[in-house]
Amino acid sequence: MERLVIALTLAVAGTVAGGQIAGLYAGGEALIALAATSAGAALLGLIPRRRWHILAAAVGLEAVLIGLHRWLPGPISLTDSVTHAGARLLTSASPVPSRVDTLALPVVATWLAVSAASALARGRRPGAAALPLVALATAMLVLAGPQAGTNYRRTAVLIAALALLLVVLRPVPAHTRRAVPRLLRLATAALVAVALAGGTLLLAPPLLTGVTAAPPDLRAYVIAPVQAPPQTHPLSLVGRWGVHPEQPLLRITADRPVTLRWAVLGDFDGTSWLPATTYRAAGGDRGGAPKPAIAVDQVHATVTVAELTGSWLPVPDGLRRVSGVAIAVDEESGAVAVTDGLHPGLTYAVDAAVPAPTPVQLATAQLPRSAKYDRYRELPTGNTGRIPELALTAAGDGLPYAQALNLARWLKSTYRYDPRAPGGSGYPSIVRFLTATPAAGGGRGTSEQFATAYAVLARALGIPARVVVGFTAATGNGPVTVTAADARAWPEIYLDPVGWVGIDVTAPPVTSTTAPSASPRPSLSAEPEQSPGAGEDPSTAPDVEIMTPEAEPPGGVRGSWLWLAWTTALFPLAFALVALLRIRRSRLRLAVDDDAGRVRGAWAELRDGARLGGVPIRPYWTATEVVAAVSDAVAVEPRDDLAQAVNRAEFADPDADLSADGAVEQAADLIHRVRRKTSRRRRLLWWIDPRPLWWR
């Protein structure tokens, strides 16, 4: 009985230790393979004779690899898959395809670690038996890097399994064995393991909240193996297609209108816009759930290549799955390449969740603070002419999206589209297009000039921007042919938390006398067709706070029996810890050096206090409305000190006088009054309520 419990414990521990890397892979095949490997290695401990253990481990590992090769074959032989397992894993994009060449390294590591732990467990060395499993979990976390994300549940199960292993393997005196039945000892060990797992699940999320440090990504030190072959620049092709619009490029069957990204041009050197040159092999399941606050349109399409060439694969935004073709991706830009290149007759299917932000979300979106988007703001030195001046004049004042719309309207109303205009996307062409007289080739341009000019103007304003080349396709009862006339270039800007937003800036043709108008979906319109209110000018949209739905921290188990059992057993310690964390968080919020930070901290404390006191606060209310609601709840006259300070801290010059002391004092006074006004039960639970630790 005890040996079977040890084997099962080792199997579970090996599964969750090796499974720390499972989140890096597409689909669930990786975790199944690691679980089967761990179970097979753990069963070796049931072999009665030790001298057969090493031979059985070697034969078993070979059998596992052969079975894995038959179940999830890769593009190379089994021998090469094992030999180059590390390189294949580190040069694949996340989510990594589940194949023998990418799974060989974690499978071999899991087999060896569990086999070593099993051998040490037979020797009654509990501490030594746990070391291979801890080393395995550490190695898998290092290999996974930041892409796998946090996984409190697997870590909690690993801690529980190791605790059970240590208790079961611990030598027990003879008199204890006689006095305490074996089944009772195992039950006690199981309870200890459950308590440790519950403690990990309960305490880890709040203790680690706010930790921004991420593990190093080993892939950053490895050159991606898939190199984009030389091909005609996509912007040059757009100009060529404009002269021959009848050329068939693709045939698409889709359940709704769809826009396909083909080439993403994120780097500008002053002469031309450049795509990514290296890609990583990737699985067809792209995973990645959309942002919870942003609605999506589900799109399914089947695409057949006609006369389109090159290595980039046309796919929708929000790509979730590609089938029928082997792909490689540039993770930063989202561009997808075909390892063997496009050829006539190539057919593939795509599923996507295309983001569909509301007008209010767009109007209130902000510029990203992450340094990863700085490359999309860069403008190289060169003869920029009046570009910065034009950008400031055309965009005007307002929030980022309002400025972006003003810039698009100005381009569409001032310039005209001409497919036969001189090409070029560098500074000389853009300056000529924007500032030269019509006789000198100015005032008219191709979609290439409109897209690249907009991207440069947006970057001059500090808005992250890039250029995309792709295709639009309408729906029909059957396949729809996408011709060269459907090819276009458009700019995209990045706003937080919406993501990349496409802007339609191509004006009417030079022969058109009609005023520009917004295009219906699926075009990337500067004024996208949305729910009621989409026609309003976002610059006049109300100043509201957009908040994402509260999410339970990863690995949380609130409401489950495990959480209840743990808190019932150790509730004094848990409540004391919650109170200490709450007090520490409040002090940290108000202990920052700058006035803006203190005002933000006081504002966060007031919102938390209002929620604890039962004062209803809507997420879209302005600061003035929130202060008024709280003041009304405690029957005092509302003051403007705090609301004005909050607005200045968020939207005004950071060096402006914020009157932080008065704002902090008013927030503290309102919180005190809310607590006094609330019920006795709420007052008793005020500091031991753990919910504010997860509130944002």
Side-chain angles (χ1 to χ4, degrees):
M1 176 68 178
E2 190 173 284
R3 291 177 62 186
L4 181 59
V5 170
I6 292 173
L8 292 175
T9 304
L10 288 174
V12 173
T15 299
V16 293
Q20 297 290 346
I21 200 174
L24 190 66
Y25 290 86
E29 294 87 352
L31 187 59
I32 295 174
L34 293 170
T37 300
S38 179
L43 291 177
L44 294 177
L46 300 178
I47 297 177
R49 298 191 179 185
R50 294 186 181 180
R51 61 182 180 180
W52 298 107
H53 195 276
I54 296 179
L55 178 61
V59 174
L61 177 58
E62 184 177 358
V64 166
L65 291 174
I66 293 174
L68 184 64
H69 180 62
R70 291 183 177 275
W71 179 36
L72 300 171
I76 56 179
S77 65
L78 177 58
T79 303
D80 289 338
S81 296
V82 176
T83 305
H84 304 291
R88 302 290 292 186
L89 176 59
L90 293 177
T91 55
S92 295
S94 175
V96 177
S98 297
R99 302 187 311 237
V100 63
D101 55 319
T102 59
L103 278 169
L105 180 59
V107 163
V108 170
T110 300
W111 182 273
L112 295 178
V114 177
S115 297
S118 178
L120 293 170
R122 294 188 63 169
R124 290 289 171 177
R125 299 175 183 175
L131 288 179
L133 299 171
V134 174
L136 173 65
T138 303
M140 295 300 103
L141 286 172
V142 171
L143 282 175
Q147 285 87 357
T150 57
N151 199 321
Y152 296 117
R153 287 187 177 90
R154 286 191 190 130
T155 302
V157 174
L158 177 61
I159 292 174
L162 293 178
L164 181 60
L165 186 66
L166 293 174
V167 173
V168 171
L169 293 178
R170 183 173 60 88
V172 181
H175 64 276
T176 302
R177 289 198 299 269
R178 290 191 298 269
V180 182
R182 176 182 298 177
L183 188 59
L184 182 58
R185 293 201 307 271
L186 293 177
T188 304
L191 287 177
V192 172
V194 169
L196 288 173
T200 302
L201 288 171
L202 177 68
L203 301 179
L207 288 175
L208 297 179
T209 297
V211 176
T212 58
D217 186 6
L218 298 182
R219 290 157 189 77
Y221 305 98
V222 180
I223 299 175
V226 180
Q227 301 291 325
Q231 53 192 314
T232 305
H233 196 281
L235 290 177
S236 299
L237 286 175
V238 171
R240 185 184 306 172
W241 288 332
V243 180
H244 303 283
E246 72 285 350
Q247 181 183 358
L249 301 177
L250 302 167
R251 290 182 64 81
I252 301 178
T253 303
D255 51 6
R256 63 173 63 217
V258 60
T259 298
L260 301 177
R261 281 182 178 150
W262 183 47
V264 180
L265 313 175
D267 295 317
F268 180 55
D269 62 3
T271 303
S272 63
W273 291 80
L274 307 173
T277 57
T278 56
Y279 299 81
R280 297 181 185 275
D285 186 353
R286 301 304 302 142
K291 298 177 181 179
I294 307 299
V296 296
D297 291 332
Q298 300 294 336
V299 173
H300 175 78
T302 301
V303 184
T304 300
V305 177
E307 297 182 13
L308 182 65
T309 59
S311 59
W312 295 299
L313 189 72
V315 294
D317 186 16
L319 182 65
R320 293 291 172 263
R321 179 181 293 275
V322 180
S323 58
V325 63
I327 63 171
V329 302
D330 174 49
E331 292 182 274
E332 185 165 345
S333 67
V336 180
V338 181
T339 54
D340 298 327
L342 300 180
H343 57 83
L346 175 66
T347 300
Y348 59 96
V350 293
D351 292 286
V354 181
T358 65
V360 172
Q361 288 173 328
L362 289 170
T364 57
Q366 300 294 323
L367 297 179
R369 298 181 180 179
S370 174
K372 68 181 289 188
Y373 298 103
D374 288 347
R375 58 176 288 202
Y376 298 105
R377 294 185 175 100
E378 294 177 356
L379 283 177
T381 57
N383 181 19
T384 59
R386 297 171 51 212
I387 287 177
E389 176 188 348
L390 292 174
L392 292 172
T393 302
D397 298 325
L399 294 176
Y401 187 66
Q403 289 186 307
L405 287 188
N406 291 338
L407 196 59
R409 294 190 187 103
W410 174 75
L411 273 177
K412 296 178 74 170
S413 62
T414 309
Y415 303 92
R416 284 296 176 262
Y417 170 72
D418 184 357
R420 298 183 181 275
S425 56
Y427 278 146
S429 300
I430 294 174
V431 171
R432 181 188 67 239
F433 167 64
L434 293 175
T435 63
T437 63
R444 59 190 179 90
T446 64
S447 65
E448 171 188 359
Q449 266 94 48
F450 276 92
T452 56
Y454 183 92
V456 169
L457 291 166
R459 290 190 177 193
L461 296 171
I463 301 175
R466 65 187 186 184
V467 177
V468 176
V469 177
F471 314 94
T472 57
T475 55
N477 296 327
V480 175
T481 299
V482 175
T483 65
D486 300 310
R488 56 187 301 194
W490 67 84
E492 291 184 343
I493 60 172
Y494 190 91
L495 299 176
D496 194 22
V498 177
W500 287 106
V501 180
I503 306 292
D504 181 9
V505 296
T506 303
V510 291
T511 56
S512 174
T513 58
T514 59
S517 61
S519 303
R521 285 188 181 182
S523 69
L524 301 170
S525 173
E527 297 177 353
E529 181 178 281
Q530 298 281 357
S531 55
E536 299 175 0
D537 185 353
S539 63
T540 62
D543 184 14
V544 298
E545 179 184 4
I546 301 298
M547 300 183 65
T548 57
E550 291 183 31
E552 187 177 4
V557 290
R558 289 181 299 178
S560 68
W561 68 268
L562 186 59
W563 180 86
L564 180 62
W566 175 255
T567 52
T568 302
L570 296 175
F571 70 91
L573 176 62
F575 289 159
L577 182 61
V578 169
L580 289 174
L581 290 173
R582 290 272 312 280
I583 294 172
R584 177 176 177 270
R585 181 175 180 175
S586 298
R587 290 180 177 176
L588 289 177
R589 280 175 168 175
L590 301 176
V592 294
D593 296 332
D594 61 298
D595 288 348
R598 293 180 61 203
V599 170
R600 294 189 185 100
W603 181 245
E605 287 293 302
L606 177 61
R607 294 182 65 85
D608 288 355
R611 295 182 67 176
L612 285 172
V615 180
I617 300 294
R618 298 291 181 264
Y620 50 81
W621 280 0
T622 63
T624 302
E625 291 172 327
V626 171
V627 172
V630 177
S631 300
D632 183 65
V634 296
V636 298
E637 190 70 19
R639 294 163 48 193
D640 295 331
D641 303 6
L642 179 58
Q644 291 177 358
V646 171
N647 289 330
R648 291 195 192 102
E650 292 294 339
F651 307 111
D653 187 342
D655 297 328
D657 182 17
L658 302 178
S659 302
D661 293 336
V664 172
E665 180 182 355
Q666 183 186 357
D669 179 67
L670 288 175
I671 295 171
H672 178 68
R673 291 176 181 273
V674 168
R675 186 178 177 188
R676 288 181 56 188
K677 195 80 173 178
T678 191
S679 65
R680 178 178 298 179
R681 180 181 64 85
R682 290 182 183 271
R683 290 199 300 271
L684 290 175
L685 298 177
W686 189 274
W687 285 110
I688 60 176
D689 190 337
R691 293 178 300 163
L693 295 174
W694 289 283
W695 288 348
R696 292 292 180 271

